[in-house]
C-alpha cells in the first residue's frame, strides 16, 4: 500500500502546488480566511468528506484577537470578489473561518490532522528574484502575504484529502479521520476556539506540523520547547489638558504606561525556568502640548511551563492595574491570543521517525527539538488529546527557504510539499492499521 | 484724522470680512500658506506697498518644524489649484511662506505690525449651528481649519494695509511702516526665522495682537505671562529581536523612551519660577513579539523665564541622551519650535489703553494680563526690538467665541475684527505723529 | 514709657544672654525639651505669670513626629540629671513639652507671642573660632545643638516676661498677654497640637519672629512666602527571598519604593503656583543576595497654597499606595509634620515697621519678604487667629550669623537679642494701649 | 590500607569535633580569620606539613570585599586576645588570612583539597534547644556565627591533615598534597585571590566539598548548577540642596539610584539560559528636606554561564553609569565578590561515587546535582585546574541540620564530620595510588 500512496501523491504534485499558489496569491489574515476556507470546504465535499464549518467548529467567545466588525465585513466582500465559494462562505461570516473534513471509515480510533491557513501583515517583495512574483502568483492583497508557509499547510491538507479519498475503499472499517483547517494561528488566536467547540472529543491521535525552520531533507519528528503564552492589549484612558496652562488638570496616561513598561520588564525571573515579557507596541498621546489622554500597549507573557506564564501574567496585570490607578487613569485589558506549552508523545515521535526513514528522502532525521522561546496554539490540541489519554505530536519538515519566516521574500522549496503530504497520510494509516490489527 | 480713519474702516468692513472668509475657507498649516501668502502679496502690491517675501524674509536654517519636502510640494500644487497668485507663489516654494509689506513715508521711526496666518490640523465642524458651515465658507481642506483666528489676523493685516494706503498722503515724511505676515506661529516655529532674516533691523516699535481669549468689548493692552519654550522631537533607534527567542539580542528603544519619560517628568522644579515639561506623544515598536527597535517622542519644555527654560531643556537632553545610552540605543534630537518669554513696554501698553478708551467701544480695558502657561513666538520680535532700544507690545482684542480655541466649532464675532484694524492703525499713527512732533 | 522699657531691657541684657547660653549648653530636640520647658515654667511663675503646660497646652493626638517612648523616657531622665525643675517637669512627661505664661491685665484684647524652643540633631563644632566652645557654653548633649537660634527665641521670651512683669502696674486693665513657648518647631511638628489645645481661643493678635536669616540691623516686618507642607514617613513591607535561588518568591519592596520615588518626583506641576515634592531618605533591604523585604522613605510635599499642597499630597499617597500594591507589598503612612501657608496682616506689618523705625537701631527695614520654599508651623497660629477676625504677623530680626542655619558653626550676634525683646514688648504694648484708647 | 584509614579516623573523632567546637566558639568573618588561620598553621607545622600563608597564598589586589583597615586591625587585636598563634598571626595581618599545608611525597601528580574557614554576620541563637549553646561552645563574638558549616570544613581539613600525617610513610613517592584553607568564601570573595597567587600551578586534581544541604547519609558526588556571579557596590555622589528653597540646585542621587534599580531589574532575559540581578540594599539621603546627595547600592548579577553573567554585568554597569550621568551625579563601582560557573569532571564524580559506596555509610548517593541559583567561588579553582588539563570536583556530604543554612539555629549532626574526612583522604589516596600504578 505504501508504494501506491507514494505513487498517487507524486501523481498529484502539480495539483497540490497549484493549490498552494492559489492560496499564496489570495492571502488572508487571521479570522478573514473567507476565500481560503470556503474553497477548502468545497473541495472536501467534492472529495466525499463530511464538512463542518463556521460556528460548528469555533466557539464564539474563545476566539481571540478578532479584527473589528467592519473590517471583517470588508474582507467578506473582498473574498466574494476574489472567487470565494458562494455557498460555503455564508456560515463563515463574522469571522468563523474554520473548516473540518471528516472521513468516517467505521469503528476504530480517531486521528486528527491540523493545518493552519492564515497569512501575515507583510508586504510581499516584488523583485525579480522572488519566485512568486516572477511566476505571477504573488499576493494581490496589499500588505498581506503568506510569509510563514500556511499556504503550503492548507495545500498539504488538501493533498492529504485527495489521497485519503482515493484510498477510501481500502481503509474501510478502520476508524475516523479529521482534517482540521484552523484560522488565526498567527498571534496564537484560533486553536483555543476550535478545541472549545469540541472538535477533538472523538480524536485519539492529533498530528500537527510545520514546513520550514530547517533546511530541505531534514525532518524533526517532535518539538517540545513551546512556551505557554498570553497576548493582551491594554487601553489606558486618562484625561487631556493643556500641558502649559493646566498640567495638573490632566490624568497622564503616558506616565501610567511608562511606569507599567519599566515594571513589566522588571518582573522577577522565576526559579523554575524561563519566562518572557514584552511590550511590543506602545502608542500614547496626540499633541506635543497636551497631557496624553490615551495610551495603548501590546503585551505578551511567556513561560517555560504554564505555572510560570501564569505567574508572569498575573504579576503583569497587577502592575498595569496599579500603574493606571496611580495616575488616576482607567484601563481595559483585551485578551488577544493564548497558547500553552505542550510535549509530544514519545510513541508518535518514534513512529514519525520510522516512517520518515522509510521514505528514503530525508538526510537528517532529528527526534526532538527543544528550542525555547516560540509559541504555537496547536499546544491546545496537544494537551486536549493527551488529557483524554490520547497521543499528540508536532513535527517539522524542513525546506530551503528564501528570506526568513515573516520576511517579505519568504518562499519555500515546493519539492518538499509532497513529502509532507506523504508523511501525514502514512502516519495516519500506520496508526489506524496497527490499532486495527491489535484490536 | 481719527474720525476719518474710523469712517474709512467702517466703510470697508464688508471687504475685510470677505478677506477673512476667504482665508477661512482655504486654511493652510504652517509653512504651507502658499495661497494665503501669495494673495496677500498681490493685494499689498496693488495697494502700493513694497513687498518682500520668501527667502528674503525667512532665514532658511532658522525655520523649525517643517513638513517633509514631498508634503510641502503637494501643498504647493494644491495652492495653485485653489487660486494662489501664480506670480507671487514662486518665491514661496519650499516652505518660505512669509510676506512683508513696506510703506516708506520718509524719515522717522519704523513701526512694525505682525499678523500670523497659519491654520491648525483640526477637522472643521459641519453642523448647522456652525456659522462658517451655514454660510458656506468652512474649510475645503480636509483636517485643516482656522481654529485659532489667524484668518482674522491676516484679514486685519489687509484691513490695515487698505487703510494706511488711503492715508498715505497725509502721513508723508513721518517714518516707515512694515506689515509682517508670519507663517507657522502654531508650534512657535516661524518668528525666529523672520527675525533671523533681519526684518526688524529698521524697526523701533513692534506691535502684535490676538483676537479672542477674552469676550467681546474687552481689550487687554499687554500680555506678559508668555513662557519661554523649546519644542523638539526625539527619534530613538535600537535593535529589534524576537522577544521570545532572543530577547537579549535586541536593544530595546521602548525601555529607553519610558525611562526618559519618567525622568523628564521628574526634572526638579526651579526655585526661580514656573517650569513645564511634557512628552505629548510617544510611539514605540511594531509588533507584540518583537523588541521595539524604534521609538519617537514629541517633547516641550517651558520656563517662566529663559534661564528656567534653559535649565529644563538642558536637563531633558541629558536625560534623553543617557536613557538611550543605558539601553545601547541611538537617538536624534530635532528642534521643532522655540519661543522666548518677553515683556511688553509699559509706554506702549499705556498708549494702547488710551487709544482703546478713545474708541468708545470697549467695556473692559485691562492693562496687563499675566496668565502663565502659554507661549508665543512673537516674543522673538518683542525682545529683538527691545534689545535695540525700541518698544514692543502684544495686545488682545476679545471676541465672543464659539467653541474654544483649537476647537472644531471655533468661531469669532466678526464685529470685533474692524475694531482690531482701528487699533492697529491708530496706534501706529499715534506713535509716528508724536515722534514727529517731538522731533 | 518707651524710654523706660528700653532702659529696663538694656539693664537685663546680661541676664537674657545668660538664659540663652544656658539653653544653648543643654539643647533638646523636639518633644524632649524637658529641662528647657520646666525651667521656663519655673521662671514664669517666679515672675508672677499664670502658667499652663503639658497636656493643657498640647492636644495629644495632634502631636506629630514623636520619638519612640523609650527615647522620650531616656530624655526625661537626662533632663532631670541636667537640672530640670523637678516640679514642673512632671506634667511634661511623655513628650508634652509646651509651656504658656499668662498675664491677665483685665478687660481688653488678647495678645499672644510665640517662642519656639527646640534644638537640632547637629554635632556642635569644637574649634576655637566657635564662640560657644571658647566660652564653654557649647552643647553637652552629643549630636544635639541649637543651630537655628531657638535658644535665643526662648531667651527672648523670658526677657519679654521679665520686662512685662516689671511693667505690670502700668498696664493694668488693658488686656491679656500670653507667652507661648512651643516645642518641636523643627520638622513643623508642634504648633498644630498647641492650636488644637485651644490656647488661641482668647487671642486677637499673635506675633511670631525669628532671629537671623538677614544680617544685623535688618528688620523684616512680615514674611509671607511660607509654603503649606506635609511631612510623612512610609514603611513598605514585602517578603524576602534568596535572590539567586527563588527570586519569584519574594515581594520586592525596593521595586515598590523606587517606582514610588520616580513617580513622586514626576507629579505634574500645578497651574496655580509653586509646588514641591521630596523623598529625602530611602533605605531598603538588608543583604546583597536577598530580595529586599522592607523599605522606608521620608517624604515631604509643599504647595504655595493649601490647595496645591493638598493636590501634591493626595497624588503622592495614590502613587505610594499603588506602587506598593503593584509589587504585592504592604505599606504604612505615618504623618510626621505639617504646616500651612499664611499671610501676615498688613496692619501689624506696618505697626512693626513704625516701631522698628522708632528704635533707631535698624539700618534696613523691609516690609514684606516673599521668599518661596520654606515652611513654618507658626502658620497654624497665623491662620487660627485670622480666622477669628484677629491679626497675625511673623517678623525677622536679622543677626550676623557664623555658619549658616543648621550648620555646626552656627552662632548669632548676641547684641541683637535685646532688640528682639524690645520689639516684642513694644509691639504688644502698642497694640494694647491703642485698642484701649480707641475703646 | 582502607581499613587502617577508617580505623585511624574513627580514633580521632573526638579531636576533630573539638577542633570544630573551638572554631565554632570563635567565629571570624571573611578576611578576619586571624585566630582560625593562625591556629591551623600551627597544627599543620606540628603535623609535619610545609606551611605557606599570608601574602604568599593571596594576591593582594584580587582580594574582594575587604572590611575597612581599622576594622581589620581591631579584629587582629581581638584574635590575639582570643588565643591566636602569636607567631603565625603576624604574616596574616591586613587581611591575608589564607593558609596552605603541603605534603610533598615525591614525584607524581598534585592533589589539592580546599576548606573554607569564614563565618557569617549572624547572631547565634541562645535558647536551650540550640546544642552549641547548651554545650557552651556557641559564639563569643557578638553577631558573628558559623551558620554555614565552615567550622566543620576547617575541622575536616585538620582531620585530613592528622590522617595523612600518620600515613606519610606508606605514601612515599606518590605525589604532592595541598590542604588549602581559604578565607572569605561568603560573598565569594576569597578564592580568586588564592588562585591569583599561583597556588594551583602544581595541582592536577582539586577537590572541594560542603557539609549539609542534604540530610545525613546522603552523598552528592558532584554539583554543576553554580551560577557565575559578580558582586559590586555602587556609591552615587550628587549634590545636596534645600528641597523647598532650591530644588534645582541639587543633583539628586536618589533619582539616579531609583532609575538604576528599575532598569537593572528590567535587564532582558538571556536566550541562552538563566540570569539573575538583584539590588539587595539601597540607602539614600540624610534628611527629609534635603535633596539626597549620596546613595549606596549593593548589587549582584548571576548567569547560568559566564557569558550570561558577563552580559548582565555589562548591561548593569551601563545602566548605572547612565542613570548617574542623567542626573549629573558621580558614581564609583567597587567589586566585592566574584564566582564563576564550573562543571565537575565526570571521572572524579564517578570516583567519589565508588568510594562513597565502599564506605557503607551512605543510604543515598546522587551523581550530579544541578540546582540553579547559588554561587561558589571554588569555581575559580575548578576552572583553573581544568584549564591546565586537570580534574575538579565539588561534592556535598549531607547532614541533618537544625535551622537552615545562614540561620541563627544552624547546627550539624557531628557524626557526619568524620565521614567527610574519610572521603577526602580516600579520594586523594585513590587518585595518587592509581596514577602511580598506571605510571
Amino acid at each position: 500500500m505504501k508504494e501506491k500512496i507514494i505513487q498517487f501523491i507524486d501523481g498529484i504534485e502539480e495539483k497540490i502546488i497549484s493549490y498552494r499558489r492559489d492560496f499564496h496569491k489570495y492571502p488572508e489574515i487571521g479570522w478573514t480566511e473567507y476565500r481560503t476556507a470556503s474553497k477548502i470546504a468545497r473541495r472536501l465535499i467534492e472529495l466525499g468528506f463530511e464538512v463542518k464549518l463556521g460556528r460548528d467548529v469555533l466557539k464564539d467567545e474563545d476566539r481571540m484577537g478578532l479584527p473589528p466588525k467592519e473590517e471583517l465585513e470588508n474582507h467578506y466582500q473582498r473574498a466574494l470578489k476574489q472567487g470565494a465559494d458562494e455557498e460555503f462562505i455564508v456560515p463563515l461570516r463574522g469571522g468563523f473561518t474554520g473548516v473540518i473534513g471528516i472521513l468516517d471509515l467505521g469503528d476504530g480510533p480517531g486521528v486528527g490532522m491540523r493545518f493552519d491557513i492564515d497569512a501575515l501583515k507583510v508586504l510581499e517583495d516584488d523583485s525579480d528574484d522572488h519566485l512568486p512574483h516572477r511566476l505571477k502568483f504573488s499576493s494581490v492583497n496589499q500588505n498581506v502575504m503568506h510569509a510563514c508557509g500556511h499556504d503550503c499547510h492548507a495545500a498539504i491538507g488538501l493533498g492529504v484529502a485527495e489521497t485519503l479519498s482515493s484510498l477510501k475503499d481500502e481503509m474501510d472499517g478502520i476508524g475516523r479521520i479529521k482534517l482540521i483547517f484552523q484560522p488565526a494561528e498567527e498571534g496564537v488566536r484560533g486553536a483555543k476556539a476550535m478545541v472549545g467547540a469540541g472538535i477533538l472529543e472523538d480524536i485519539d491521535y492529533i498530528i500537527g506540523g510545520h514546513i520550514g525552520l530547517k533546511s530541505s531533507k531534514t525532518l524533526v519528528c517532535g518539538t517540545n520547547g513551546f512556551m505557554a503564552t498570553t497576548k493582551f492589549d491594554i487601553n489606558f484612558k486618562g484625561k487631556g489638558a493643556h500641558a502649559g496652562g493646566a498640567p495638573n488638570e490632566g490624568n497622564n496616561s503616558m506616565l501610567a504606561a511608562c511606569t507599567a513598561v519599566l515594571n513589566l520588564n522588571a518582573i522577577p525571573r522565576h526559579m523554575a525556568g524561563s519566562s518572557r515579557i514584552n511590550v511590543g507596541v506602545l502608542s500614547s498621546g496626540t499633541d506635543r502640548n497636551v497631557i496624553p489622554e490615551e495610551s495603548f500597549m501590546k503585551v505578551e507573557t511567556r513561560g517555560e511551563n504554564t505555572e510560570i506564564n501564569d505567574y508572569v501574567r498575573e504579576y503583569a496585570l497587577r502592575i498595569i492595574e496599579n500603574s493606571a490607578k496611580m495616575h488616576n487613569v482607567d484601563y481595559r485589558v483585551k485578551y488577544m491570543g493564548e497558547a500553552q506549552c505542550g510535549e509530544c508523545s514519545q510513541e508518535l515521535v518514534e513512529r514519525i521517525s520510522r516512517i520518515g526513514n522509510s521514505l528514503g528522502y530525508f538526510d537528517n532525521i532529528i527526534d526532538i527539538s527543544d528550542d525555547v522561546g516560540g509559541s504555537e496554539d496547536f499546544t491546545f490540541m496537544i494537551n486536549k488529546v493527551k488529557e483524554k489519554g490520547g497521543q499528540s505530536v508536532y513535527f517539522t519538515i524542513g525546506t530551503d527557504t528564501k528570506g526568513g519566516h515573516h520576511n517579505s521574500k519568504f518562499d519555500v522549496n515546493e519539492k518538499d510539499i509532497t513529502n509532507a503530504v506523504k508523511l501525514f497520510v502514512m502516519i495516519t494509516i500506520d496508526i489506524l492499521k496497527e490499532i486495527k490489527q491489535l484490536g
Side-chain angles (χ1 to χ4, degrees), chain A:
Chain A
M1 189 167 176
K2 180 182 151 195
E3 301 316 311
K4 196 178 154 190
I5 292 170
I6 290 177
Q7 220 174 335
F8 180 86
I9 294 172
D10 286 340
I12 61 167
E13 177 165 15
E14 211 165 306
K15 184 189 275 187
I16 294 171
I17 288 176
S18 76
Y19 285 140
R20 183 251 164 167
R21 294 185 178 183
D22 179 61
F23 294 141
H24 190 91
K25 188 169 182 176
Y26 299 99
E28 299 174 294
I29 59 162
W31 303 120
T32 72
E33 308 93 331
Y34 294 113
R35 183 184 182 281
T36 310
S38 66
K39 289 184 82 83
I40 287 168
R42 169 62 59 200
R43 186 65 192 136
L44 290 172
I45 282 283
E46 289 169 358
L47 289 169
F49 281 76
E50 177 189 353
V51 167
K52 291 194 172 172
L53 77 177
R55 290 170 185 268
D56 288 344
V57 301
L58 285 159
K59 189 170 171 191
D60 188 357
E61 61 270 33
D62 284 355
R63 295 180 305 156
M64 288 175 288
L66 260 85
K69 273 187 188 174
E70 197 181 308
E71 195 180 325
L72 283 176
E73 187 55 22
N74 290 345
H75 276 289
Y76 189 85
Q77 301 304 333
R78 174 202 41 75
L80 280 172
K81 283 183 209 135
Q82 293 181 338
D85 185 276
E86 299 198 0
E87 181 186 347
F88 286 114
I89 197 174
V90 177
L92 309 179
R93 201 162 192 169
F96 292 90
T97 45
V99 178
I100 292 181
I102 302 166
L103 206 58
D104 193 338
L105 302 164
D107 268 10
V111 176
M113 283 162 275
R114 182 272 217 154
F115 311 98
D116 40 0
I117 63 174
D118 55 325
L120 285 158
K121 285 191 184 166
V122 170
L123 177 61
E124 185 154 14
D125 185 70
D126 63 355
S127 43
D128 284 344
D129 65 347
H130 183 55
L131 187 122
H133 177 70
R134 211 163 59 239
L135 300 192
K136 303 200 186 313
F137 67 90
S138 65
S139 170
V140 300
N141 290 332
Q142 181 75 1
N143 284 319
V144 184
M145 175 187 173
H146 269 296
C148 193
H150 298 189
D151 50 345
C152 302
H153 297 174
I156 289 165
L158 286 186
V160 170
E162 300 271 352
T163 312
L164 292 175
S165 175
S166 79
L167 296 168
K168 229 186 317 187
D169 298 342
E170 290 155 72
M171 299 196 299
D172 195 38
I174 62 169
R176 282 176 320 286
I177 296 173
K178 276 194 184 174
L179 306 185
I180 301 165
F181 294 86
Q182 180 204 306
E185 193 281 329
E186 300 293 347
V188 291
R189 298 173 289 159
K192 193 183 183 185
M194 295 202 91
V195 172
I199 63 160
L200 297 179
E201 291 309 319
D202 55 356
I203 294 300
D204 305 292
Y205 297 83
I206 182 80
I207 307 164
H210 207 296
I211 196 163
L213 305 168
K214 305 276 174 181
S215 51
S216 285
K217 306 206 172 174
T218 299
L219 173 65
V220 181
C221 306
T223 301
N224 278 346
F226 294 126
M227 295 184 95
T229 187
T230 312
K231 324 280 189 189
F232 50 94
D233 289 352
I234 303 294
N235 284 281
F236 292 104
K237 177 89 161 69
K239 203 171 79 182
H242 190 271
N248 58 298
E249 292 192 346
N251 295 333
N252 192 328
S253 70
M254 194 192 287
L255 285 179
C258 289
T259 297
V261 167
L262 285 187
N263 280 284
L264 287 169
N265 280 279
I267 291 175
R269 279 79 168 156
H270 197 287
M271 60 194 286
S274 291
S275 59
R276 296 283 186 275
I277 176 88
N278 193 47
V279 184
V281 173
L282 169 59
S283 81
S284 179
T286 52
D287 291 301
R288 187 189 309 281
N289 64 346
V290 177
I291 303 293
E293 179 160 335
E294 299 193 39
S295 297
F296 170 78
M297 304 195 310
K298 294 192 181 190
V299 188
E300 62 170 26
T301 63
R302 296 181 203 238
E304 190 176 317
N305 59 44
T306 305
E307 182 205 346
I308 297 176
N309 185 51
D310 288 352
Y311 156 78
V312 180
R313 188 189 57 243
E314 291 315 308
Y315 205 138
L317 291 173
R318 208 168 57 232
I319 285 169
I320 289 160
E321 175 187 350
N322 289 292
S323 296
K325 286 183 176 170
M326 179 182 295
H327 293 288
N328 230 345
V329 161
D330 293 328
Y331 76 103
R332 207 158 39 82
V333 183
K334 193 169 167 199
Y335 289 93
M336 301 303 285
E338 190 179 348
Q340 306 182 324
C341 51
E343 224 163 294
C344 295
S345 305
Q346 189 55 30
E347 199 184 310
L348 276 186
V349 169
E350 283 160 20
R351 196 184 292 268
I352 290 178
S353 178
R354 176 166 47 78
I355 293 167
N357 260 306
S358 79
L359 280 177
Y361 173 75
F362 297 104
D363 288 344
N364 182 16
I365 296 185
I366 298 162
D367 256 33
I368 287 284
S369 153
D370 238 341
D371 304 337
V372 164
S375 299
E376 238 294 348
D377 65 0
F378 182 63
T379 46
F380 279 105
M381 301 192 183
I382 288 178
N383 294 327
K384 178 69 182 178
V385 170
K386 283 174 72 183
E387 271 164 43
K388 300 188 312 161
Q391 294 182 22
S392 309
V393 78
Y394 185 84
F395 69 89
T396 300
I397 184 161
T399 192
D400 296 328
T401 53
K402 302 275 164 48
H405 286 261
H406 296 208
N407 185 289
S408 64
K409 277 180 174 300
F410 180 80
D411 193 21
V412 304
N413 181 345
E414 288 179 333
K415 283 285 158 208
D416 294 305
I417 296 177
T418 48
N419 283 289
V421 176
K422 288 171 195 170
L423 273 170
F424 270 109
V425 170
M426 289 171 71
I427 296 160
T428 302
I429 291 174
D430 192 68
I431 293 168
L432 293 177
K433 290 252 157 158
E434 183 185 286
I435 304 297
K436 204 63 198 179
Q437 282 159 6
L438 293 174

